[in-house]
Amino acid sequence: MSTKSYSTILLMTATVLAGMLSPMQSAVNGELGDVLKDGNASAVISFASGLVVMFFIIIAKKQTRQQFAAIPSLIKQRKIPLWNWLAGLCGAMVVFSEGASASALGIATFQTALISALLLSGLLCDRFGIGIDEKKPFTIFRVLGAVFAVVATLFVVSPQWHSSSAIYLAILPFLAGLLAGWQPAGNSKVAQATGSMMVSITWNFIVGFTVLTIALVVRMALGHITLELPDVWWMYLGGPLGLMSIALMAILVRGLGLLMLGVASTAGQLLGSVLIDLLLPSLGNTVYLVTIIGTLFALVGAIITTIPEFRDAKAAKATKIAGV
């Protein structure tokens, strides 16, 4: 086996492990939401902890400070469509759904519903050219991958069909996944406009934090909620875990490319979800056989959707070599 092959295996393994950070974040935010009895409050705390970390990263360099300070004028100039600046709302929906439903559903069920919706959303965004320069038509592989994603969601939710509340809760991560499908496109446009992905991520956190905080303050003013913050330190790590995942993916994509990164990170998310539910019975989540089958269906769906891109990349590489 060549050195390059060993390198690819190591990078794939690292990506699988990095992918496990996502279910860890869901578990942390889910437990925080369970303790607070409020997904909105849990999401605000998660965004706040991540925003604190990003604040110190941004102010550390003069260039990023200037890039961030230029955001108001960039918005006013309409350099990019306004909706790109609101992509953080999608992240807010994901984190809110974690606090509201991850603990009750189980991490494996939550992540499978989220990932499945992301696959379906990606199919639709590509087809209608949302956030990309060139539309990608429906193909048998793309449609089949989306079908696997929907079946995966039905599988993982099936043990709780008797509970209408569980069905309603499962809709949250699925809806969040559908909305989050176009979030990377918005973040990318903001990064291009500002000249910094770190500034884009920070702006993302600010938008999500602002909307969630306004909603929480209004609810507290109306007497709908009272808060008593937990004294367990790890419940405040949701935001930093999310940032760590983003940073690692940004590093690993250079060695693997988007195609292999997507498959490996999805595998990590699903594997990590099942392991968390199995190894931490204190969370009160049960892993059924259909849960495992559902996660496998979601992984197969993710792999199937990448087949056309893999073929295109291989053909382009062969053409380039022939041209040389």
Side-chain angles (χ1 to χ4, degrees), residues 86-106:
L86 301 177
L89 295 176
C90 297
M93 181 61 184
V94 172
V95 178
F96 169 79
S97 65
E98 286 177 341
S101 65
S103 180
L105 289 173

Side-chain angles (χ1 to χ4, degrees), residues 93 105 166-176:
M93 181 61 184
L105 289 173
I167 301 301
Y168 293 140
L169 286 176
I171 291 174
L172 279 176
F174 195 82
L175 178 60

Side-chain angles (χ1 to χ4, degrees), residues 215-323:
L216 182 62
V217 169
V218 170
R219 292 173 62 226
M220 291 180 69
L222 294 174
H224 293 166
I225 178 178
T226 55
L227 282 182
E228 184 175 343
L229 296 178
D231 56 5
V232 182
W233 64 271
W234 57 263
M235 287 190 179
Y236 298 91
L237 295 180
L241 281 171
L243 288 175
M244 195 183 303
S245 176
I246 293 171
L248 286 174
M249 293 303 174
I251 294 171
L252 292 166
V253 72
R254 298 171 187 172
L256 285 178
L258 284 171
L259 180 67
M260 296 178 74
L261 182 89
V263 174
S265 61
T266 299
Q269 285 176 260
L270 296 172
L271 178 61
S273 301
V274 174
L275 288 176
I276 288 173
D277 284 346
L278 284 174
L279 300 179
L280 296 176
S282 59
L283 297 181
N285 301 320
T286 303
V287 178
Y288 301 93
L289 176 61
V290 288
T291 306
I292 297 175
I293 294 174
T295 57
L296 290 175
F297 262 80
L299 178 58
V300 170
I303 294 173
I304 288 174
T305 56
T306 63
I307 291 176
E309 281 77 7
F310 179 78
R311 286 180 170 177
D312 291 345
K314 192 173 181 181
K317 185 177 180 180
T319 302
K320 184 177 180 181
I321 293 174

